[in-house]
């Protein structure tokens, strides 16, 4: 499977990564906590898209953008936390405060 096109919408307080694949939408949402922290609070992948690594792709994009923008991630969503915890190269964007 080629990588799906992941979109990003962001306002002053909230943000969302999303994609549509085979007519189904998956998303990852976050809140902005100041200029340098993102509180990642939800990942939703429909059952029809399960098992394809879609959730991990969304987290990977969140991590890449946070790194590029000098932000840290506070992973409130258990899925996002698990993905970051098991990926050593993502630890630099984890907010440890």
């Amino acid at each position: 499977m080629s990588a799906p096109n992941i979109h990003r919408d962001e306002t002053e307080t909230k943000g969302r990564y999303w994609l549509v694949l085979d007519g189904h939408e998956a998303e990852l949402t976050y809140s902005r906590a100041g200029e340098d922290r993102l509180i990642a609070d939800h990942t939703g992948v429909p059952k029809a898209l399960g098992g394809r690594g879609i959730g991990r792709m969304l987290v990977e994009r969140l991590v890449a953008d946070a790194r590029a923008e000098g932000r840290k991630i506070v992973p409130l969503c258990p899925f996002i936390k698990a993905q970051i915890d098991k990926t050593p190269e993502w630890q630099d964007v984890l907010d440890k405060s």
Side-chain angles (χ1 to χ4, degrees):
M1 171 178 80
S2 62
N5 188 19
I6 298 174
H7 306 276
R8 181 182 186 187
D9 299 323
E10 188 175 74
T11 67
E12 288 185 27
T13 59
K14 298 200 177 285
R16 174 173 106 107
Y17 291 95
W18 59 277
L19 62 85
V20 176
L21 188 61
D22 298 336
H24 301 279
E25 183 176 281
E27 72 173 357
L28 181 157
T29 62
Y30 62 89
S31 297
R32 292 182 60 181
E35 290 298 314
D36 62 348
R37 292 177 60 210
L38 302 175
I39 301 171
D41 55 17
H42 171 73
T43 306
V45 177
K47 287 184 182 186
L49 298 180
R52 299 187 194 185
I54 301 297
R56 183 164 174 90
M57 288 180 207
L58 292 168
V59 176
E60 186 173 22
R61 172 71 188 275
L62 169 71
V63 168
D65 287 352
R67 186 178 287 136
E69 297 164 4
R71 294 177 173 179
K72 297 290 184 182
I73 298 169
V74 179
L76 292 186
C77 169
F79 177 80
I80 295 169
K81 181 169 180 6
Q83 294 301 306
I84 292 174
D85 285 350
K86 73 180 187 181
T87 310
E89 61 269 23
W90 291 354
Q91 298 304 304
D92 63 309
V93 298
L94 181 63
D95 183 87
K96 296 177 181 160
S97 59

